[in-house]
Amino acid sequence: MKTTAVTLALAGLLAFSAAGCAITREQSTVGQYVDDATITTRVKAKFAEDSTVSAMAIGVETLKGTVQLSGFAKSTTERDRAESLARGTPGVSMVKNDIVVRP
């Protein structure tokens, strides 16, 4: 009986925590949160593989399939390449490019 109560309490806490993530990030579901995290990881991986783009200098945030790029690029070529890589990533619906070029 005591084990069942503890199990139910932990299950409730887990459900509450998962829902809290979705609410804070404004995703409609936990699944959307996971999808956005996957998109962010894929974009950052593309940046790391590309010699033109600095994965360390450009930030990536994803919300409901919209990718926001931020940070500093050394050239317009790097800025444009980062946007192109993000647009070509599966699951991306839109890209907001806020990268500033700083030579």
Side-chain angles (χ1 to χ4, degrees):
M1 179 82 161
K2 197 174 197 178
T3 305
T4 304
V6 171
T7 303
L8 286 174
L10 289 175
L13 181 61
L14 179 61
F16 180 74
S17 298
C21 289
I23 292 170
T24 20
R25 291 276 314 207
E26 298 181 19
Q27 279 87 4
S28 55
T29 64
V30 174
Q32 182 66 53
Y33 177 83
V34 172
D35 291 346
D36 287 343
T38 301
I39 291 169
T40 297
T41 302
R42 287 178 178 165
V43 172
K44 289 295 272 185
K46 284 186 172 190
F47 289 178
E49 292 171 356
D50 193 284
S51 61
T52 309
V53 178
S54 172
M56 300 302 289
I58 298 174
V60 180
E61 293 286 330
T62 307
L63 183 62
K64 295 182 179 177
T66 298
V67 173
Q68 181 176 5
L69 304 176
S70 61
F72 298 99
K74 293 180 181 177
S75 67
T76 55
T77 302
E78 181 180 8
R79 180 183 194 273
D80 294 343
R81 181 68 179 149
E83 182 175 344
S84 175
L85 290 170
R87 286 190 191 284
T89 303
V92 173
S93 58
M94 188 170 80
V95 175
K96 184 171 189 246
N97 192 343
D98 292 329
I99 300 171
V100 175
V101 176
R102 184 184 280 175

